[in-house]
């Protein structure tokens, strides 16, 4: 399991990687995490797989999803393409519980949008 947070240390994630050149840069810079945006098909499974093959194995890959199917998220983790799940859509408690059941050892981040002052 990836340790996502250590008290007192800021963590850095470079997100939106799509090209081999991006991997070369992050392998040199050594951020704490890298992000692959699967939302709006910025990157697909095979593209992410190829990029991860070139990624330094000490840099965990985060999959960024918006309303993705549970099956696709689960497959990407089980095939070791990503090591952390980050959700940015309308995923509800049921969805999150299913992901946790399918992937009990995978860290999960749920982004929450503030939509008005009242919320």
């Amino acid at each position: 399991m990836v340790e996502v947070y250590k008290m007192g240390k800021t963590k850095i994630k470079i997100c939106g990687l799509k090209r081999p050149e991006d991997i070369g840069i992050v392998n040199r810079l050594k951020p704490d995490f890298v992000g692959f945006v699967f939302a709006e098909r910025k990157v697909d499974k095979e593209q992410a797989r190829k990029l991860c093959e070139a990624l330094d194995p000490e840099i965990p890959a985060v999959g960024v999803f918006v309303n993705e199917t549970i099956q696709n998220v689960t497959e990407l983790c089980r095939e070791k393409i990503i090591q952390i799940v980050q959700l940015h859509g309308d995923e509800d408690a049921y969805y999150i519980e299913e992901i946790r059941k399918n992937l009990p050892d995978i860290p999960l981040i749920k982004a929450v949008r503030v939509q008005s002052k009242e919320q």
Side-chain angles (χ1 to χ4, degrees), residues 40-92:
E40 299 177 10
R41 301 295 177 236
K42 301 287 187 203
V43 67
D44 64 27
K45 180 178 175 179
E46 290 312 310
Q47 186 180 9
R49 181 189 316 278
K50 288 177 185 169
L51 294 171
C52 283
E53 287 171 359
L55 181 64
D56 182 322
E58 293 188 18
I59 304 172
V62 179
V64 179
F65 303 97
V66 175
N67 304 326
E68 185 61 67
T69 67
I70 292 169
Q71 178 182 349
N72 285 345
V73 174
T74 301
E75 284 178 12
L76 285 160
C77 291
R78 287 189 177 154
E79 292 178 26
K80 303 204 184 310
I81 296 171
I82 61 170
Q83 292 78 48
I84 301 171
V85 172
Q86 184 174 338
L87 306 174
H88 279 267
D90 302 312
E91 301 89 3
D92 59 12

Side-chain angles (χ1 to χ4, degrees), residues 2 5-6 9 34 38 41-42 44 60-61 64 77-78 83 94 102 107-108 112 116:
V2 177
Y5 178 75
K6 289 183 182 177
K9 182 177 185 240
V34 297
F38 291 90
R41 301 295 177 236
K42 301 287 187 203
D44 64 27
V64 179
C77 291
R78 287 189 177 154
Q83 292 78 48
Y94 171 80
N102 290 338
L108 186 143
V112 179
S116 71

